[in-house]
Amino acid sequence: RGAIETVKKGDIIARIHPPGRWRPGRNLLGDIVEPEEGMPYFAHLGENVIQQGNEIIATSGGLLIHRENEIVVSEVYMVPGDVSLHTGHISLDRGSVQVEGSVLTGFHVSCPGNILIKGTVEDSILTAGGDIDIDGGIMMNNTGLIRASGSVRALFGVATNIHAGLNVYIMNEINKSKVIAEGSIIGAGGQGKVIGGFLHCGKEMQATKVGSELAVPTHIRLGIDQKFLEEYKTEQARLDHSLKHIQQKLGNAPDQEVMLRYPKDKASTVMHILTIRRQLQNRISELVTTIARLERRLRQKSSPVLIVHGIIYPGTIIQCGTEEMTIHSPLSQSKISFDFENCQFKVRSL
């Protein structure tokens, strides 16, 4: 399932191979085709990693994060059991969170790194700057939220809200849920059922079955569009307002300088507000980057696709841009794409 990997101090987490020279080939006409020269790979090293020769080594234990060409080993805050009344909410300024149990109803877990849950997730709020990996499933009542700048992985999702900056992987079933992924939504490796709810992917959606024999309304939206940006821009405006309010009280000075202005009896309150300020600044920075990326992809108009290896049942509605397609009779083993040039859906057999 591509689960988050844990590394120990001193582990070799990557080897960089220098570019090599390849033999010439030939095209269909028999002409010699010279190979392109290899390019050296440059990795951007984040926290807790160093490079020695061609090897990248972890300088501390933690969770391995690899985004594009950045490699980071994130410090881990361990929760030995459930996130519950015993622990309270979990909120970190740095690093990742690993929960050995479950996240119970009403609790929050947030961090700038990854979140790894060994149990299940109930009606709660999870926010990660990286990936969220759930060994069990997600059982909510449409009031919780799972938001990751990276990908989200789980066995199943029931009545949940998921928003991923990359991909969503649900092995068995997505049931009456709202799932938004800028990349792909993949229901594979298990039952791969999608029943009811609203699913919006930027690139591709794969499943074994979509909808049900009872014609449960299942709404699928393909491709990046303006609606994708609305939530991000609304959130950014709200966070900008909150940050401005804090800056009016504390200013923009570094944390230590702000702390020196206040007496010791107010230190804990000021420190808490400064923590919120850092969290707001980090999230706003993420949103600015995300909005710029989505706006670039909007201009590219890449062709999104729905791939269903089993049956698409009646009651399923597929949208792309302003166009809509309703399934009135079962479709078996189908690939549905959108042709932007002719502004219409295309249905093919797998």
Side-chain angles (χ1 to χ4, degrees):
R1 287 171 48 216
I4 299 168
E5 186 175 359
T6 302
V7 299
K8 301 187 295 295
K9 181 180 179 179
D11 280 355
I12 298 171
I13 56 179
R15 285 189 176 90
I16 299 175
H17 298 275
R21 293 189 62 84
W22 301 96
R23 291 177 298 177
R26 292 183 182 273
N27 62 19
L28 293 174
L29 300 176
D31 301 325
I32 293 176
V33 178
E34 293 292 337
E36 294 183 5
E37 289 290 329
M39 298 290 291
Y41 175 78
F42 295 99
H44 176 68
L45 304 183
E47 57 183 350
N48 301 319
V49 293
I50 59 171
Q51 183 172 343
Q52 295 181 352
N54 287 335
E55 295 179 340
I56 297 175
I57 299 170
T59 58
S60 74
L63 298 183
L64 179 61
I65 302 174
H66 185 205
R67 299 193 201 99
E68 297 181 354
N69 70 329
E70 181 182 31
I71 300 174
V72 174
V73 173
S74 179
E75 297 174 1
V76 182
Y77 176 79
M78 296 289 296
V79 180
D82 296 337
V83 176
S84 61
L85 286 171
H86 180 70
T87 63
H89 301 309
I90 307 294
S91 180
L92 304 184
D93 289 335
R94 56 181 296 175
S96 299
V97 177
Q98 181 168 330
V99 179
E100 292 297 306
S102 300
V103 181
L104 304 188
T105 297
F107 290 91
H108 300 186
V109 179
S110 65
C111 69
N114 296 337
I115 297 176
L116 177 58
I117 311 292
K118 294 297 183 107
T120 59
V121 174
E122 297 180 0
D123 235 356
S124 53
I125 297 177
L126 273 58
T127 307
D131 295 343
I132 296 179
D133 221 322
I134 302 163
D135 283 356
I138 309 165
M139 296 191 67
M140 294 185 173
N141 193 28
N142 289 124
T143 55
L145 174 64
I146 294 177
R147 182 187 294 275
S149 296
S151 296
V152 176
R153 303 175 183 88
L155 283 177
F156 61 86
V158 177
T160 183
N161 294 311
I162 299 175
H163 198 148
L166 294 177
N167 306 315
V168 173
Y169 303 91
I170 303 291
M171 289 181 66
N172 289 327
E173 183 175 330
I174 306 173
N175 194 317
K176 296 180 181 178
S177 296
K178 181 180 180 182
V179 180
I180 298 176
E182 292 177 30
S184 301
I185 299 174
I186 307 295
Q191 297 178 34
K193 296 190 294 185
V194 176
I195 304 172
F198 173 81
L199 301 97
H200 187 174
C201 64
K203 294 181 179 178
E204 176 185 271
M205 178 173 163
Q206 287 194 40
T208 302
K209 294 182 180 179
V210 174
S212 75
E213 295 174 349
L214 300 177
V216 175
T218 305
H219 193 158
I220 296 171
R221 190 169 185 85
L222 302 174
I224 298 293
D225 58 32
Q226 196 61 38
K227 290 185 178 181
F228 238 113
L229 294 171
E230 289 175 1
E231 283 193 34
Y232 285 134
K233 290 184 175 180
T234 299
E235 183 185 1
Q236 183 185 353
R238 178 173 55 83
L239 297 184
D240 282 337
H241 177 76
S242 299
L243 180 60
K244 185 177 179 181
H245 181 71
I246 291 175
Q247 289 172 336
Q248 287 173 346
K249 299 291 184 182
L250 300 183
N252 295 314
D255 291 1
Q256 291 182 344
E257 185 178 323
V258 173
M259 292 293 294
L260 292 174
R261 299 182 199 153
Y262 293 88
K264 291 184 178 180
D265 61 331
K266 293 186 177 180
S268 61
T269 301
V270 175
M271 191 176 297
H272 177 68
I273 297 173
L274 288 172
T275 298
I276 295 173
R277 185 180 74 170
R278 286 195 300 274
Q279 291 172 343
L280 289 171
Q281 289 169 336
N282 290 339
R283 180 57 183 162
I284 290 169
S285 178
E286 289 177 4
L287 288 169
V288 169
T289 302
T290 300
I291 289 169
R293 181 176 70 245
L294 290 180
E295 287 176 338
R296 285 196 302 271
R297 289 181 62 187
L298 266 174
R299 292 192 292 270
Q300 293 171 354
K301 285 192 174 181
S302 57
S303 181
V305 63
L306 169 65
I307 298 173
V308 181
H309 300 280
I311 299 173
I312 308 176
Y313 289 98
T316 300
I317 298 171
I318 303 167
Q319 282 187 321
C320 186
T322 58
E323 299 300 312
E324 182 174 296
M325 173 184 179
T326 302
I327 305 300
H328 296 289
S329 58
L331 291 177
S332 180
Q333 297 181 323
S334 301
K335 178 179 180 180
I336 300 175
S337 59
F338 188 76
D339 183 353
F340 280 102
E341 187 174 334
N342 297 307
C343 202
Q344 64 181 10
F345 288 96
K346 290 186 175 180
V347 181
R348 298 184 177 92
S349 296
L350 294 178

